[in-house]
Amino acid sequence: MVTFGTATAAPGEKDTGRLEVGETRDGSTFGLPVAVVNGVDDGRTLYIQAASDGDELNGVGVIQRTLPQLDPTELSGTILVCGVVNYHAFQVAEHRNPIDDTKMNRAYPGDKTGTSSERIAAATFNAAISADYVLDLHQGSTSQMIDEVRVRCGTRHRLHEECLELAKVFGCGYILDQKGPDGQLARAAPDEGVPTIDPELGGCVGWDEDSIQRGINGVFNVLNYYGFLDGHHDTRPQTRASGFEQYGSPVGGLIDLKPDLGDRVARGETLFEVTDVFGEPKAEITADSSGVFWRARRLPQVATGEYVCSVGTNVDTY
Ligand SMILES: [Zn+2]
């Protein structure tokens, strides 16, 4: 038997349930939606979670469409799934947990007697470190972003190679290989010896079908490559950035982005222009380094200093 929250499955079975983590403000108990797919044959364990940021729904789309396709009688090993991590943020379609105004992916490994976010982090971290591989499905929030996979443990981490391999197997096409901030699951779980990646499935309001499909392909690539399923997966070279430069606007106004997402940009190339409300040019911002046009804000209006776009730099093929 494999148990995750109230989901319990014998070999060859799958089940769904709730992972209880406390009570809401009205005193009702609440739990995260979880699933167990227990393969008929022994094997490794994969943990997948989505909506760690409450407005990042593409990962939920991946889980929703992947789970019905998983047949435990054809599976070796076990898949543990948490479909919605940031319960409170998901309810109100926000990024951060409104109970403590915290970003969940800064709260790992969590604390089971701590804040709301720390308790949820601790509950899901337990499942993550019981696994052999972890996929923490994210996206570039509601901005526009390429589909990519983040390796966050840092190049000097003892699990760097394993995390990078997992990212290459997932196979979005792009990898950002850069040590992340403290509190990320993709940093905390490798410290416990579990290769972990943070697939970033585009960026949108609601669902993006192309990004969801790329995420589903990524999950099946992992299942085939690591022997959960009988299928075969050959890894393909990925475009890897190890630097990430963010650009803000030096003036207020309306932006006009020049490159498209995924375009190669040269040093000195124009990234965006800012005009005033009446169409008069105010500023033209160029790239400090060459790289890949990675992410951009969705709305055109900006204040001085406000985020506009990002370029992945130090690009190679891995
Ligand atoms: Zn996220």
Side-chain angles (χ1 to χ4, degrees), residues 223-245:
L223 294 175
N224 286 322
Y225 185 88
Y226 291 103
F228 292 85
L229 294 174
D230 280 341
H232 184 72
H233 174 62
D234 287 323
T235 58
R236 284 188 312 241
Q238 306 283 300
T239 300
R240 173 173 68 166
S242 54
F244 200 58
E245 292 183 354

Side-chain angles (χ1 to χ4, degrees), residues 52-181:
S52 164
D53 295 312
D55 59 352
E56 298 187 355
L57 304 182
N58 283 341
V60 182
V62 170
I63 284 170
Q64 234 217 359
R65 289 165 219 197
T66 301
L67 259 286
Q69 297 183 53
L70 294 174
D71 181 351
T73 66
E74 291 174 356
L75 188 78
S76 301
T78 303
I79 306 170
L80 304 174
V81 182
C82 179
V84 176
V85 172
N86 201 334
Y87 179 90
H88 301 289
F90 181 82
Q91 302 301 324
V92 291
E94 284 178 10
H95 192 78
R96 299 157 75 92
N97 180 354
I99 302 297
D100 53 15
D101 193 27
T102 297
K103 186 169 161 69
M104 187 65 66
N105 211 18
R106 299 292 180 274
Y108 283 94
D111 177 351
K112 66 178 196 275
T113 60
T115 63
S116 170
S117 292
E118 285 169 346
R119 287 169 192 248
I120 293 171
T124 50
F125 192 66
N126 263 340
I129 61 173
S130 76
D132 298 293
Y133 310 97
V134 172
L135 308 177
D136 183 14
L137 303 176
H138 282 259
Q139 68 189 58
S141 189
T142 55
S143 64
Q144 319 172 47
M145 195 165 79
I146 57 173
D147 300 304
E148 45 115 331
V149 179
R150 294 190 176 179
V151 173
R152 292 311 226 166
C153 63
T155 55
R156 283 186 280 206
H157 196 281
R158 66 192 162 91
L159 255 62
H160 180 251
E161 281 304 312
E162 287 93 334
C163 293
L164 200 53
E165 182 186 46
L166 183 55
K168 186 171 185 175
V169 170
F170 196 88
C172 268
Y174 295 93
I175 296 173
L176 179 63
D177 183 12
Q178 189 188 49
K179 190 173 183 177

Side-chain angles (χ1 to χ4, degrees), residues 144-146 174 247 257-265 270-272 291-297 308-312:
Q144 319 172 47
M145 195 165 79
I146 57 173
Y174 295 93
Y247 293 83
L257 297 164
K258 295 303 178 186
D260 291 325
L261 291 180
D263 281 356
R264 291 280 182 160
V265 297
T270 301
L271 296 177
F272 61 95
V292 173
F293 197 67
W294 203 273
R295 177 179 178 171
R297 66 184 288 109
V308 176
C309 62
S310 310
V311 175

